[in-house]
């Protein structure tokens, strides 16, 4: 092993395995709080039912456009949000109708551009705030409502949003968040308290680590349910040939999750409406 991976490689493998075992143990001791009737497949069906004429072709086009503008050396590319997860984010934004989205991890802007497209289709005048601490090469598609915080950490961007009195409706985390980010989220008090995490892949990909951190430190997590991707890395295919969500986990306010499942039992056409009383001003 030493000959194959070198000393540093072996040290990294040992560290990763230790982190994975730690997270596995912690999740076993304190599992994330989920709703028994609201798995990811049910949630996706609900989002689809609530979205008239979803433009998945447009999502595909934007996804390809962002990749075509990737300025990194060819051999170092990767790490951008895949099409199945972009399809899911698009549907989530169409359903939630947020005014302000906060994204951690811009990179080449695929997820930010897809979410901005969904905002445009919603027609409510929403905006995506996106932050990246290292990659600075992303230029938004002309006319898309995106504000970039380039070369900054998420905690610095969150401080700016707090100081400007911004109210976030949807947080999408595709980076690593720490204690300071969570303190600031507790202070900013997102209006709808919906948080989506990319790379929720067991045992310990970054989405799992972020979920675990939020579960310990976020004020409103006790009043929320997690909707977790059971088919991690595979995605769902509710319509033939259309893959949706391979690794995005979502934290939903408790009463929304209950309303989704109750309304679904009563009337399938109502099942995906976010409870309007919780939308805020
Ligand atoms: C997986 S990539 C994001 C991919 C992007 N969402 C896309 O669709 O192209 C993660 C990026 O997040 C950035 N990042 C990670 N943690 C961060 C943090 N706490 N603050 C700012 N940027 C962060 C990294 O620099 C990296 O470029």
């Amino acid at each position: 092993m030493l000959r194959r991976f070198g000393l540093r490689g072996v040290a990294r493998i040992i560290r990763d395995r230790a982190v994975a075992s730690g997270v596995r143990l912690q999740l076993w001791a304190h599992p994330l709080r989920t709703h028994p009737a609201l798995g990811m497949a049910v949630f996706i069906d609900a989002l689809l039912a609530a979205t008239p004429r979803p433009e998945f072709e447009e999502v595909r086009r934007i996804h390809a456009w962002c990749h075509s503008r990737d300025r990194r050396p060819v051999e170092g590319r990767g790490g951008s949000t895949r099409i199945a997860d972009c399809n899911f984010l698009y549907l989530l934004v169409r359903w939630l109708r947020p005014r302000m989205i906060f994204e951690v991890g811009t990179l080449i802007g695929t997820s930010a551009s897809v979410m901005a497209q969904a905002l445009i289709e919603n027609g409510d005048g929403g905006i995506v705030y996106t932050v990246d601490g290292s990659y600075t090469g992303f230029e938004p598609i002309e006319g898309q409502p995106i504000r970039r915080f380039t070369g900054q950490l998420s905690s610095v961007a969150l401080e700016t949003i707090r100081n400007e009195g911004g109210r976030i409706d949807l947080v999408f985390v595709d980076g690593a968040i720490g204690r300071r980010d969570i303190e600031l989220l507790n202070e900013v008090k997102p209006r709808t308290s919906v948080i989506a995490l990319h790379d929720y892949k067991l045992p310990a990909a970054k989405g799992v680590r972020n979920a675990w951190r939020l579960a310990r430190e976020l004020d409103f997590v006790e009043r929320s349910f997690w909707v977790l991707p059971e088919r991690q890395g595979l995605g769902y295919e509710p319509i033939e040939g259309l893959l949706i969500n391979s690794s995005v986990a979502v934290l939903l306010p408790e009463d929304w999750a209950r309303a989704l499942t109750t309304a679904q039992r009563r009337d399938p056409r109502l099942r995906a409406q976010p409870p309007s009383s919780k939308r805020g001003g």
Side-chain angles (χ1 to χ4, degrees), residues 52-167:
R53 293 179 301 285
E55 300 281 353
F56 291 110
E57 260 320 301
E58 196 59 17
V59 174
R60 190 175 293 281
R61 200 182 63 74
I62 291 171
H63 186 271
W65 186 90
C66 291
H67 280 268
S68 73
R69 312 247 312 187
D70 191 338
R71 297 185 188 164
R72 296 173 295 168
V74 177
E75 63 277 7
R77 289 184 187 170
S80 186
T81 314
R82 288 166 190 266
I83 189 73
D85 292 336
C86 285
N87 287 336
F88 178 72
L89 290 173
Y90 167 83
L91 274 181
L92 183 66
V93 174
R94 292 294 313 275
W95 171 70
L96 189 61
R97 306 187 80 90
R99 302 284 166 81
M100 187 196 279
I101 299 173
F102 177 65
E103 176 187 66
V104 180
T106 318
L107 196 65
I108 62 170
T110 314
S111 45
S113 307
V114 164
M115 291 191 288
Q117 173 62 25
L119 289 178
I120 292 171
E121 290 176 29
N122 285 345
D124 298 334
I127 180 165
V128 179
Y129 283 25
T130 179
V131 60
D132 202 300
S134 56
Y135 187 73
T136 56
F138 166 61
E139 293 292 339
I141 296 173
E142 206 182 322
Q144 280 210 331
I146 294 180
R147 174 174 169 190
R148 283 166 302 155
F149 296 85
T150 37
Q152 289 184 17
L153 281 177
S154 46
S155 52
V156 177
L158 274 170
E159 269 169 27
T160 307
I161 291 171
R162 179 199 56 190
N163 296 344
E164 291 176 353
R167 297 296 302 278

Side-chain angles (χ1 to χ4, degrees), residues 145-214:
I146 294 180
R147 174 174 169 190
R148 283 166 302 155
F149 296 85
T150 37
Q152 289 184 17
L153 281 177
S154 46
S155 52
V156 177
L158 274 170
E159 269 169 27
T160 307
I161 291 171
R162 179 199 56 190
N163 296 344
E164 291 176 353
R167 297 296 302 278
I168 300 167
D169 295 305
L170 168 65
V171 180
F172 174 55
V173 183
D174 196 6
I177 49 169
R179 176 160 295 159
R180 183 66 189 139
D181 294 288
I182 300 177
E183 276 171 13
L184 284 158
L185 284 177
N186 286 333
E187 275 182 48
V188 169
K189 298 219 183 319
R191 193 158 32 192
T192 66
S193 316
V194 179
I195 299 184
L197 302 178
H198 196 216
D199 271 331
Y200 186 91
K201 290 187 201 145
L202 293 169
K206 72 175 187 298
V208 181
R209 298 200 298 272
N210 286 334
W212 172 246
R213 213 162 280 142
L214 287 166

